[in-house]
Amino acid sequence: MKLWKIPGPVIRIAVLFVAAIVILILVRQRFVPESFGLIGHYRADAIDVVAGQEMRYAGLQACAECHTDEAESKSNSYHRGLTCEGCHGPAADHVDDPTEHLPIIPAGRGTCLRCHEYQMSRPTGFPQVIETMHNTMERCADCHEPHDPTPPEVPGACSACHGAIERIKAVSHHFTLDCETCHQVQPEHKENPRAFQPKKPTEREFCGRCHATNAASAREIPRVDMEVHGGRYLCWQCHYPHFPEGS
């Protein structure tokens, strides 16, 4: 009678599988705490460790009990989602002894720039500044009340997000033109700017509406012969539209 024989590769795979299970069991016993998973997907003993730490933060409610005016101002401002101690530091000691332990009062620009220094990764529309260009050497609090930081002059619809472009255009001969003179902007762009992007001109003739020698515009502006000026190149390949005279 011929006995069925288990193939060698199957035996080797089975041995590796059993060895892997044994290794996993040993690793769990060695590195996974015994309290892990007792009351959730974490180490239950961590609750006692955290509870035993020194109390450093007091919480927003404790601050509001004494600083009612500041709390009221902040609750209706763009900073309503921030905790007081995010800017003023841990305040548990201050709550216990207000005269002996005073909170931090930010004096420089660094505290504000932690959130408002320009970074491409920040959400579109989030207030950002380039520190070396925005009121250099001035304290942020000189223009913005920290608990209600609404700027003295609220930027317009486009300049609120495109501040750098707005500042360049402001010193250009194009400063009198509305953005929508050259850009077709859907109303949804203001709500979801990435999904509804403005349309830009694609043909030389668009600039020619004002700058061609036979353009109907009566304003005293530079004129060119569109047939020969620039050849096959698009106008904005040589002239930056927001500051064309600087190209």
Side-chain angles (χ1 to χ4, degrees):
M1 181 178 179
K2 185 176 180 180
L3 298 176
W4 181 71
K5 184 178 179 181
I6 300 176
V10 174
I11 295 176
R12 289 191 287 273
I13 292 174
V15 171
L16 291 175
F17 183 74
V18 172
I21 292 176
V22 172
I23 292 174
L24 287 175
I25 293 174
L26 294 176
V27 168
R28 189 186 188 286
Q29 292 177 345
R30 176 67 177 82
F31 295 104
V32 178
E34 294 182 1
S35 65
F36 181 83
L38 293 179
I39 53 176
H41 195 71
Y42 57 88
R43 183 171 63 92
D45 291 342
I47 297 176
D48 297 330
V49 174
V50 172
Q53 293 180 347
E54 179 185 1
M55 185 71 70
R56 299 181 64 233
Y57 291 89
L60 175 62
Q61 290 74 18
C63 300
E65 288 180 2
C66 295
H67 303 281
T68 54
D69 291 342
E70 289 80 1
E72 176 66 22
S73 177
K74 191 171 79 70
S75 66
N76 297 314
S77 79
Y78 291 115
H79 278 176
R80 58 185 174 272
L82 301 182
T83 63
C84 304
E85 291 161 298
C87 298
H88 295 289
D93 291 339
H94 173 66
V95 172
D96 293 337
D97 191 341
T99 57
E100 181 66 22
H101 301 281
L102 299 177
I104 298 172
I105 307 296
R109 296 160 62 93
T111 300
C112 301
L113 292 173
R114 287 186 308 185
C115 295
H116 294 290
E117 174 70 25
Y118 175 76
Q119 290 184 13
M120 293 183 64
S121 60
R122 300 196 194 280
T124 299
F126 185 83
Q128 302 181 65
V129 300
I130 299 176
E131 196 273 336
T132 56
M133 298 174 61
H134 184 76
N135 292 340
T136 308
M137 305 302 292
E138 298 291 336
R139 296 190 324 130
C140 302
D142 290 342
C143 296
H144 303 273
E145 204 287 307
H147 302 106
D148 184 4
T150 303
E153 296 182 9
V154 179
C158 296
S159 61
C161 297
H162 305 284
I165 293 176
E166 178 70 17
R167 288 189 288 272
I168 292 174
K169 190 167 78 73
V171 296
S172 163
H173 292 310
H174 279 177
F175 78 96
T176 59
L177 300 181
D178 294 331
C179 299
E180 295 185 6
T181 302
C182 301
H183 298 283
Q184 296 181 23
V185 184
Q186 298 172 272
E188 294 84 356
H189 174 69
K190 297 177 182 179
E191 301 294 333
N192 192 345
R194 296 185 187 278
F196 300 91
Q197 297 189 5
K199 294 182 180 180
K200 302 177 182 179
T202 58
E203 303 292 338
R204 288 165 46 89
E205 288 70 23
F206 182 87
C207 298
R209 295 190 308 177
C210 294
H211 294 287
T213 52
N214 60 348
S217 175
R219 291 177 296 176
E220 294 296 328
I221 58 176
R223 304 298 182 95
V224 297
D225 185 346
M226 298 295 292
E227 295 294 330
V228 298
H229 182 77
R232 61 185 176 84
Y233 293 100
L234 297 172
C235 304
W236 43 91
Q237 289 180 284
C238 296
H239 303 277
Y240 178 53
H242 302 114
F243 190 65
E245 60 270 34
S247 304

